[in-house]
Amino acid sequence: MRDHSHVHPQGEDTPHSDEDTPRSDVWTGRATNRFQWLLALVGAACMALGIELAVDSAWTSGTAPLVMSVVGCIAAGLLVLFGTLAFVHVDLKLDKDSLEVRCGHIGVPRRHIPLAHVAGAEFEPHVTPRHWGGWGYRWRPEKGTAVVVRRGEGVVLRLWDGHTFTITVDDAESAVQAIRDRLRERTPGSAH
């Protein structure tokens, strides 16, 4: 998704027009995985079970097993809940100097990559969680680092330090073109 609107000083959004408004210097994109909401419900159910055990327990075998069950259910619920909600979606923001990747509703984990660290960008039509070992923020020695929230198209950044960073994002071809344009703008004397 691209930012096609500009905000006037009065705060009113107006559609982009080449005649009266300069080109937006920010490209934004997003990828979403609605399946993660189901996993978040499982985490919430674990937490609810832990709370139910703590409040209305008829355990007669002692407090240690009860405490371990309550703490275990709540801890597992929190881990599943945070782990899934953090990767319900990923937002990609490209401005004239850097690229920022933010995950989930609170934006954590987050990665900020200055364009000075980017050697190039490639379109990848088939990024899958299976190739990366699952959803989320992933690292594989032979492949690099990735943020994978769904299967489908993505952007592969080649960094100057030899590493790669892959992001699943809708309209990845447009993102790659925007990144390449920014990189050409940063390189004096490059062909346009």
Side-chain angles (χ1 to χ4, degrees):
M1 142 177 37
R2 255 191 230 174
D3 179 14
H4 290 290
S5 64
H6 296 274
V7 178
H8 285 280
Q10 296 85 6
E12 299 174 16
D13 287 342
T14 59
H16 175 67
S17 167
D18 289 333
E19 296 170 4
D20 61 0
T21 310
R23 171 179 80 88
S24 173
D25 286 334
V26 176
W27 186 97
T28 60
R30 171 181 271 208
T32 302
N33 184 344
R34 289 182 176 87
F35 177 72
Q36 294 287 72
W37 286 108
L38 294 174
L39 295 174
L41 288 174
V42 170
C46 285
M47 287 182 50
L49 176 62
I51 292 168
E52 172 68 22
L53 286 172
V55 172
D56 190 27
S57 176
W59 283 39
T60 57
S61 59
T63 55
L66 175 62
V67 169
M68 289 174 29
S69 297
V70 168
V71 169
C73 285
I74 291 175
L78 284 172
L79 285 172
V80 171
L81 194 60
F82 176 74
T84 56
L85 290 181
F87 297 102
V88 168
H89 67 264
V90 63
D91 290 317
L92 177 67
K93 178 181 173 186
L94 172 68
D95 62 28
K96 63 180 182 153
D97 297 319
S98 64
L99 183 122
E100 184 175 68
V101 178
R102 297 178 61 161
C103 300
H105 295 291
I106 58 174
V108 176
R110 175 185 311 191
R111 177 138 184 214
H112 181 83
I113 303 171
L115 287 177
H117 296 179
V118 178
E122 304 297 326
F123 171 71
E124 175 59 51
H126 303 292
V127 177
T128 67
R130 184 173 48 104
H131 293 137
W132 285 95
W135 286 307
Y137 201 101
R138 314 307 266 171
W139 175 76
R140 296 199 47 196
E142 72 281 3
K143 294 183 73 115
T145 307
V147 176
V148 180
V149 297
R150 52 112 177 107
R151 80 182 64 186
E153 61 186 329
V155 175
V156 179
L157 296 176
R158 287 180 291 102
L159 306 177
W160 284 112
D161 64 5
H163 294 100
T164 62
F165 187 67
T166 303
I167 312 111
T168 54
V169 65
D170 296 337
D171 197 15
E173 284 183 289
S174 175
V176 167
Q177 188 59 51
I179 293 166
R180 288 176 178 169
D181 290 347
R182 297 297 194 294
L183 291 175
R184 275 195 296 273
E185 290 170 7
R186 296 180 60 81
T187 308
S190 63
H192 288 275

